Amino acid sequence: MTETLDQLDQIGMLRILTPDHWEMIKPCFKSTQTVCSKAVVNPRRVRLDHSLLLLDGIIGRRVPSETDQTPHLVALQVPGDFIDLHAYPLKKLDHDVVAITQVTVAMIRHDDLSKLLDNNCALMRQLWSMTLVDGAIHRHWALRNGTMRALQRVANLLVELATRLEQAKPAPDGRFRLELTQPDIGSACGLSGVHVNRVLRDLREAGCCTYKNGILTILDRKQLNRIACFDPSYLYLPERSGPSGF
Amino acid sequence: MTETLDQLDQIGMLRILTPDHWEMIKPCFKSTQTVCSKAVVNPRRVRLDHSLLLLDGIIGRRVPSETDQTPHLVALQVPGDFIDLHAYPLKKLDHDVVAITQVTVAMIRHDDLSKLLDNNCALMRQLWSMTLVDGAIHRHWALRNGTMRALQRVANLLVELATRLEQAKPAPDGRFRLELTQPDIGSACGLSGVHVNRVLRDLREAGCCTYKNGILTILDRKQLNRIACFDPSYLYLPERSGPSGF
DNA sequence: CGTATGCTTGAATCACGTCAACTGATGTGG
DNA sequence: CCACATCAGTTGACGTGATTCAAGCATACG
């Protein structure tokens, strides 16, 4: 499997790393792994000795709900995200890490990470930054669930995911394979599955986007952004060319 | 002002640091500052060259709402919290940092922090951990706003704050000076001020707690925990004596 | 085939928001 | 000392957005 590791590219959140730092950490990923949809990648409350880099697919973080049975989605990760990097300093997670789609991940052992970081504080600071952007996204999820109404909430979530996914892989056709069920979307933004269905119909009838078979197709990005009141500054996107918030 | 700095104690979140690490970082705090209620301590989108340690009072993080005028509370910080430590790697914030009560903070320059951390990766990892606990709290806020109904939400927020405040300073009488207005509480958990008022009445009539003049008084902690479905594991409390999630 | 899973729609219910009026405490100026 | 303004809290009436329950439909799969 190591042949794929050499081809690893600096996609999405990984672009926070400087190229030389990326070259340093890349060899530490010793193996990749493919996990099938719906599997629990890392369970909560268990001591972890490794962290995962998401290469392909979508991963979610679930917290079992205190009130009812169905767990709640508190975060979604896209390719380029350093999943459960926070397990490196914290050692245990407070949520389950589950595969939404079939995913491929690269593993890094905390031992190897320590060897690397103990001699390189600059790299550590950049990894730290990556978890801080995660934190900013978490704050935005609280904001979204706290202030927005259903239509805006769903639109906002979809635009966020589209924007983050584009950082990993450009999608000129505006199509994104999310594979989230409608109740999943509801779980992520605090709505019932039924209501998500109605909201998606409204977005479809407004000509904004369609969502079918787990595939999001954005038809009118401008209008969708407007409905979503989307301001991407909380994503701290690295500047490619031109101004950005980072 | 330096006389107070020598007396700084390892309260709240600071207890994540080992005592020797705490002794190392303590001298870097060169001055304390008292800021009056409602002042903006650090504005968003401005490059910061320092971070703040909250010594006394309560600080909030506000995001101006896209939809209406009133900004939204996305986080609350209690004494011992290293406010905007995330500004150290990220340099800019995506939210305003505002004083809820009158607060005293200690300032640390990022230059000094760098000098200290470049020779001490273990300390850096612990500071990193502190921001990760912040992240876990953010996730919980998203969860609260996404899954809970009004009564549970308010109860949950109040218990969280009480628990975190107790880490900083024990409150055997069950009284906590929050100084949040009822609309503030609503803003934090996605409810209108009017509805918060009704919920607080319900909690009062149930004998759980009272909230008057910005002071929370917990009368029946057990019942309040039950209503709030409160499980503190996401706070990663350091173990004092006995088992805990950390 | 039948069963499971996810989507779709309608009808009834309810939790919460909005609006508006009133209270009570605090503060300010004449 | 009183008149007045201000601000947070309080309560009622009303409207509505979202949940829940239920039934029906489509597709995939054994």
Side-chain angles (χ1 to χ4, degrees):
Chain A
M1 273 252 179
T2 33
E3 70 284 358
T4 59
L5 284 174
D6 295 333
Q7 298 165 5
L8 280 191
D9 204 11
Q10 257 188 287
I11 55 171
M13 184 87 90
L14 288 176
R15 262 178 291 200
I16 285 185
L17 299 178
T18 58
D20 49 322
H21 280 145
W22 173 235
E23 291 304 323
M24 290 175 64
I25 200 172
K26 200 160 73 168
C28 291
F29 293 98
K30 294 281 163 54
S31 69
T32 69
Q33 217 178 329
T34 298
V35 179
C36 69
S37 161
K38 291 185 177 119
V40 175
V41 180
N42 273 329
R44 69 196 193 121
R45 291 182 179 173
V46 169
R47 192 176 179 86
L48 298 175
D49 60 358
H50 63 276
S51 287
L52 301 171
L53 178 64
L54 181 55
L55 301 179
D56 192 53
I58 291 182
I59 273 184
R61 308 196 197 176
R62 282 192 200 275
V63 178
S65 173
E66 316 285 345
T67 35
D68 56 76
Q69 276 62 270
T70 48
H72 187 82
L73 270 175
V74 291
L76 287 168
Q77 311 290 150
V78 302
D81 284 355
F82 216 143
I83 313 295
D84 57 34
L85 178 55
H86 50 310
Y88 170 58
L90 285 180
K91 297 306 171 201
K92 289 178 184 174
L93 301 183
D94 49 288
H95 55 262
D96 292 320
V97 177
V98 301
I100 301 290
T101 69
Q102 188 187 74
V103 299
T104 55
V105 292
M107 207 191 78
I108 190 168
R109 293 184 50 78
H110 291 166
D111 291 347
D112 296 335
L113 204 47
S114 285
K115 271 177 223 150
L116 184 65
L117 297 183
D118 285 348
N119 302 316
N120 196 329
C121 283
L123 174 54
M124 187 158 167
R125 227 182 330 256
Q126 285 180 0
L127 292 182
W128 187 359
S129 291
M130 289 173 52
T131 64
L132 291 174
V133 174
D134 267 359
I137 294 174
H138 296 329
R139 280 193 296 275
H140 185 78
W141 282 46
L143 183 74
R144 178 165 50 223
N145 289 349
T147 58
M148 297 180 175
R149 339 234 80 233
L151 182 72
Q152 200 183 358
R153 257 192 245 185
V154 173
N156 192 282
L157 176 69
L158 294 180
V159 183
E160 176 191 303
L161 290 175
T163 305
R164 290 168 62 196
L165 283 166
E166 278 174 335
Q167 294 295 311
K169 188 155 68 84
D173 56 351
R175 290 166 58 92
F176 302 91
R177 183 171 205 83
L178 303 182
E179 285 188 40
L180 294 162
T181 65
Q182 291 179 4
D184 278 340
I185 296 177
S187 169
C189 50
L191 297 168
S192 69
V194 173
H195 202 63
V196 168
N197 182 287
R198 295 190 232 266
V199 165
L200 288 176
R201 171 167 47 75
D202 292 346
L203 287 172
R204 183 177 354 107
E205 288 174 355
C208 286
C209 62
T210 64
Y211 191 79
K212 199 152 180 57
N213 298 323
I215 294 177
L216 169 68
T217 309
I218 296 185
L219 304 170
D220 185 343
R221 186 67 166 262
K222 196 170 285 181
Q223 198 191 351
L224 193 57
N225 277 338
R226 198 168 40 71
I227 289 175
C229 288
F230 186 65
D231 170 8
S233 60
Y234 71 96
L235 293 175
Y236 289 86
L237 302 179
E239 32 195 326
R240 297 212 226 198
S241 56
S244 113
F246 197 64
Chain B
M1 272 250 181
T2 34
E3 71 282 0
T4 57
L5 285 174
D6 294 334
Q7 298 167 4
L8 280 191
D9 205 11
Q10 258 189 285
I11 55 171
M13 184 86 90
L14 288 176
R15 261 176 292 198
I16 285 185
L17 299 177
T18 59
D20 48 322
H21 280 145
W22 172 235
E23 290 304 322
M24 289 175 64
I25 200 172
K26 200 160 76 168
C28 291
F29 292 98
K30 293 281 164 52
S31 68
T32 69
Q33 217 177 326
T34 299
V35 179
C36 69
S37 162
K38 293 187 176 116
V40 175
V41 179
N42 273 329
R44 69 196 193 122
R45 291 183 178 172
V46 170
R47 192 177 180 85
L48 297 176
D49 60 358
H50 64 276
S51 289
L52 301 171
L53 178 65
L54 181 54
L55 302 178
D56 192 52
I58 291 181
I59 272 182
R61 307 197 198 176
R62 282 191 201 274
V63 178
S65 172
E66 317 285 345
T67 36
D68 56 76
Q69 277 61 270
T70 48
H72 188 84
L73 271 175
V74 290
L76 287 168
Q77 311 290 150
V78 303
D81 284 355
F82 216 144
I83 312 296
D84 57 33
L85 177 55
H86 51 309
Y88 169 60
L90 285 180
K91 296 309 170 199
K92 289 179 184 175
L93 302 183
D94 49 289
H95 55 263
D96 293 319
V97 177
V98 301
I100 301 288
T101 68
Q102 188 189 74
V103 299
T104 57
V105 292
M107 206 190 79
I108 190 167
R109 294 183 49 79
H110 291 166
D111 292 348
D112 295 337
L113 204 47
S114 285
K115 269 177 225 150
L116 185 64
L117 297 183
D118 284 348
N119 303 316
N120 196 329
C121 283
L123 174 54
M124 188 158 164
R125 227 181 333 256
Q126 285 180 1
L127 292 182
W128 187 357
S129 291
M130 288 173 54
T131 64
L132 291 174
V133 174
D134 267 359
I137 294 174
H138 297 327
R139 280 193 296 275
H140 185 78
W141 282 46
L143 183 74
R144 177 165 50 222
N145 289 348
T147 57
M148 296 180 175
R149 339 224 100 248
L151 182 72
Q152 200 183 358
R153 257 192 246 184
V154 172
N156 192 283
L157 176 69
L158 294 179
V159 182
E160 176 190 305
L161 290 176
T163 306
R164 290 168 62 194
L165 284 165
E166 278 175 334
Q167 294 294 312
K169 188 155 67 84
D173 55 352
R175 291 166 56 91
F176 302 90
R177 181 171 206 82
L178 303 181
E179 285 187 40
L180 294 162
T181 65
Q182 291 180 1
D184 279 339
I185 296 176
S187 170
C189 49
L191 297 167
S192 70
V194 173
H195 203 65
V196 168
N197 182 289
R198 293 191 235 264
V199 166
L200 288 176
R201 170 166 48 75
D202 292 346
L203 287 172
R204 183 177 353 108
E205 287 175 355
C208 286
C209 63
T210 64
Y211 191 78
K212 200 155 180 56
N213 299 322
I215 295 176
L216 168 68
T217 309
I218 295 184
L219 304 170
D220 185 344
R221 186 66 166 262
K222 195 170 289 182
Q223 198 191 351
L224 193 58
N225 277 339
R226 199 167 39 71
I227 289 175
C229 287
F230 186 66
D231 169 8
S233 60
Y234 71 97
L235 294 175
Y236 288 87
L237 301 179
E239 34 196 324
R240 297 211 226 200
S241 55
S244 111
F246 198 64

